């Protein structure tokens, strides 16, 4: 609500940036897999965004702008804490997981066949375990429901890259979920 | 289409983004190649499974509040606060402070009566509790000032008359002085804000349409709070910062009172106006 003592900058920020808090919070939660870390990350993001509000170009995609601030904050935090880059070469990890059975399955039963009765926590854990570049597009597409165009703007890459990362991300996710399923005995070993 | 080309299009097919001219070739290959067909079906199943097992959550009210307050502090560093001067200046001795404050508030409220209505909804959260706490904070910091100042309920009722689709409730509260009110909108929903002074504290009451909040689209309450209101008509809680909030419903009106006092004291304070509710 607008009252006379607020500055225009404060007003504009509340009106344009704060409504996207849920999007950032959900992403932060999925990425850090830790409520406290997600809180810290979202707070840091909005504080930075407010301080650098002058660099936001009015009329451009505010969600993408906020998201990029959050990504940078996350990367800086991660690097400070681990001194390791947060990327994994897909080719290195893909052999780690057992491959899925290459046979056609009735699509109605496919979810059951692949994932059995996995818990929501398993899904959360599996998403968090994905390499960053794949986790980001899977969260933005399959949980947040963003379009390819929006995702491309968020992560600053071409549409084709979004598409291929989604494919690889979902495949890694599937394999990780199947691995959990096997460990829990929900899914038969090959 | 070969297997490599098919693999590159799987995500687009799963997300229904295949161009018409590529669809026929994609379908044709999937009929002929069971391994590729499985890959497509498995990716679609993964997407559906993840979507069904993950819920989008709302930002916790405490975090949203913290962020808004942080932004507010950044924004208004150095700004004077009319109500803080009135109520909370630690350097002013209580008796002198009270006298000064009384004069100050009269002057300020007279001034604020000339302020035109401001109806721009800006704070993003749809959570009524969060909005109430934020508005109380804005009141204390001086960012929020009454648009219409009066200690007479009838006069204030005139100010709100015909604006809201629910009754704005203006009871006399024990040991409280009515200070004034603000009306505005949030996402097209009319809001009424009433301010009382209780000793050296501000009692802020947020009022809106209960049916709108129950629907949860433009405004909402956490499920446990809504359930409690539907069950008993009342809900109260104390925040970590010592402020309390009491919510209740009366007819088509939802009220949320916030003050820096225990929830028992705040409850007793609003209950003293029960006849008016």
């Amino acid at each position: 609500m607008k009252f006379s003592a607020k500055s225009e900058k404060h007003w504009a920020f509340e009106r344009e940036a704060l409504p996207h808090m849920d999007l950032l919070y959900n992403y932060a939660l999925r990425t850090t897999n830790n409520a406290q870390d997600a809180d810290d990350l979202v707070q840091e993001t909005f504080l930075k965004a407010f301080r650098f509000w002058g660099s936001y170009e009015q009329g451009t995609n505010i969600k993408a702008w906020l998201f990029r601030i959050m990504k940078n904050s996350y990367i800086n935090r991660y690097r400070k804490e681990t001194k390791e880059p947060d990327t994994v070469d897909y080719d290195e990890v893909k052999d780690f997981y057992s491959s899925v059975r290459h046979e056609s399955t009735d699509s109605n039963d496919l979810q059951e066949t692949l994932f059995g009765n996995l818990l929501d926590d398993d899904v959360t854990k599996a998403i968090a375990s994905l390499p960053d570049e794949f986790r980001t597009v899977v969260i933005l597409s399959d949980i947040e429901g963003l379009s390819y165009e929006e995702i491309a703007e968020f992560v600053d890459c071409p549409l084709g890259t979004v598409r291929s990362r989604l494919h690889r991300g979902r495949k890694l996710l599937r394999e990780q979920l199947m691995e959990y399923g096997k460990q829990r005995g929900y899914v038969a070993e090959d | 289409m070969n297997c490599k080309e098919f693999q590159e299009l799987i995500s687009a097919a799963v997300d229904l983004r295949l161009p018409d001219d590529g669809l026929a070739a994609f379908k044709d290959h999937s009929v002929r190649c069971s391994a590729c067909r499985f890959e497509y079906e498995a990716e679609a199943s993964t997407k559906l499974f993840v979507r069904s097992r993950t819920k989008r959550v709302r930002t916790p009210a405490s975090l949203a509040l913290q962020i808004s307050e942080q932004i507010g502090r950044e924004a208004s560093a150095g700004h004077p606060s009319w109500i803080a001067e009135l109520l909370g200046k630690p350097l002013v001795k209580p008796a002198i402070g009270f006298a000064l404050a009384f004069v100050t508030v009269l002057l300020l409220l007279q001034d604020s009566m000339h302020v035109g209505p401001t109806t721009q909804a800006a704070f993003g959260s749809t959570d009524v509790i969060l909005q109430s706490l934020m508005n109380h904070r804005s009141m204390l910091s001086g960012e929020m000032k009454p648009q219409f100042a009066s200690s007479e309920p009838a006069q204030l009722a005139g100010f709100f008359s015909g604006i809201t689709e629910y009754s704005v409730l203006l009871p006399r509260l024990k040991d409280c002085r009515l200070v004034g009110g603000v009306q505005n909108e949030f996402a097209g929903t009319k809001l009424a804000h009433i301010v009382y002074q209780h000793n050296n504290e501000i009692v802020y009451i947020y009022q809106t349409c209960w049916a709108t909040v129950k629907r949860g689209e433009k405004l909402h309450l956490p499920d446990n709070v809504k359930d409690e209101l539907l069950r008993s008509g009342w809900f109260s809680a104390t925040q970590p910062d010592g402020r309390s909030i009491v919510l209740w419903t009366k007819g088509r009106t939802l009220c949320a009172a916030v003050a820096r006092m225990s929830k028992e004291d705040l409850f007793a304070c609003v209950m003293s106006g029960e006849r008016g509710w």
Side-chain angles (χ1 to χ4, degrees), chain B residues 211-255:
Chain B
T212 302
V213 177
K214 273 193 287 189
R215 282 196 299 276
E217 292 161 2
K218 295 173 177 174
L219 290 169
H220 85 281
L221 282 169
D223 288 344
N224 63 318
V225 178
K226 195 164 78 176
D227 292 347
E228 185 60 32
L229 280 172
L230 288 168
R231 196 179 61 78
S232 69
W234 290 88
F235 176 86
S236 64
T238 302
Q239 299 296 304
D241 62 7
R243 291 186 293 166
S244 295
I245 183 161
V246 175
L247 292 101
W248 69 100
T249 60
K250 177 79 176 178
R252 300 172 70 184
T253 311
L254 168 69
C255 304

Side-chain angles (χ1 to χ4, degrees), chain A residues 81-145:
Chain A
E81 285 166 15
T82 67
K83 309 288 183 195
E84 285 177 11
D86 188 20
T87 54
V88 177
D89 184 346
Y90 174 71
D91 292 330
E92 286 176 18
V93 293
K94 70 176 181 183
D95 295 332
F96 176 77
Y97 302 113
S98 57
S99 60
V100 295
R101 288 175 296 172
H102 282 194
E103 59 193 41
S104 182
T105 312
D106 183 338
S107 60
N108 290 331
D109 299 331
L110 195 56
Q111 277 189 38
E112 177 70 24
T113 307
L114 291 174
F115 311 123
N117 292 314
L118 282 173
L119 307 171
D120 294 357
D121 278 355
D122 293 324
V123 177
T124 301
K125 212 163 65 170
I127 292 170
S129 76
L130 290 176
D132 184 59
E133 63 264 45
F134 303 127
R135 182 179 60 232
T136 297
V137 292
V138 168
I139 292 172
L140 294 179
S141 167
D142 295 351
I143 299 175
E144 296 298 329

Side-chain angles (χ1 to χ4, degrees), chain B residues 32-267:
Chain B
R32 287 187 289 105
C33 177
S34 63
C36 283
R37 186 169 66 246
F38 174 83
E39 283 299 316
Y40 163 73
E41 289 172 351
E43 183 164 331
S45 296
T46 304
K47 177 181 172 171
L48 290 174
F49 183 73
V50 167
R51 193 158 240 179
S52 69
R53 295 302 186 93
T54 49
K55 277 187 287 191
R56 290 193 80 240
V57 292
R58 288 185 196 271
T59 310
S62 56
L63 174 63
L65 186 62
Q66 222 174 335
I67 290 170
S68 292
E69 288 179 350
Q70 230 171 6
I71 301 297
R73 276 197 297 276
E74 284 264 325
S76 62
H79 281 202
S81 157
W82 65 281
I83 207 78
E85 282 178 11
L86 167 67
L87 300 174
K89 272 238 169 169
L91 296 176
V92 181
K93 288 181 179 172
I96 302 169
F98 188 78
L100 281 174
F102 187 71
V103 173
T104 308
V105 78
L106 282 180
L107 290 171
L108 285 165
L109 291 179
Q110 275 180 344
D111 178 53
S112 69
M113 286 177 73
H114 301 294
V115 176
T118 51
T119 56
Q120 187 176 356
F123 186 66
S125 174
T126 59
D127 187 330
V128 167
I129 290 183
L130 181 57
Q131 289 196 1
S132 304
L133 290 167
M134 282 304 302
N135 290 343
H136 174 255
R137 181 73 76 201
S138 295
M139 187 65 68
L140 294 181
S141 71
E143 289 173 78
M144 182 176 181
K145 293 179 184 176
Q147 292 164 334
F148 188 89
S150 174
S151 58
E152 282 305 313
Q155 285 183 358
L156 207 51
F159 169 68
F160 287 112
S161 174
I163 292 172
T164 60
E165 68 273 36
Y166 53 89
S167 304
V168 176
L169 307 171
L170 299 156
R172 292 186 188 278
L173 301 182
K174 194 179 173 211
D175 299 328
C176 285
R177 176 178 163 270
L178 186 59
V179 172
V182 175
Q183 66 84 17
N184 67 353
E185 286 185 15
F186 181 84
T189 303
K190 307 280 189 217
L191 305 178
H193 314 268
I194 321 295
V195 187
Y196 290 87
Q197 187 178 349
H198 175 74
N199 298 327
N200 274 5
E201 279 299 336
I202 282 292
V203 176
Y204 162 77
I205 301 179
Y206 174 109
Q207 298 186 18
T208 191
C209 176
W210 176 217
T212 302
V213 177
K214 273 193 287 189
R215 282 196 299 276
E217 292 161 2
K218 295 173 177 174
L219 290 169
H220 85 281
L221 282 169
D223 288 344
N224 63 318
V225 178
K226 195 164 78 176
D227 292 347
E228 185 60 32
L229 280 172
L230 288 168
R231 196 179 61 78
S232 69
W234 290 88
F235 176 86
S236 64
T238 302
Q239 299 296 304
D241 62 7
R243 291 186 293 166
S244 295
I245 183 161
V246 175
L247 292 101
W248 69 100
T249 60
K250 177 79 176 178
R252 300 172 70 184
T253 311
L254 168 69
C255 304
V258 183
R260 289 188 297 199
M261 57 178 74
S262 72
K263 64 181 183 183
E264 291 78 14
D265 286 349
L266 183 57
F267 186 79

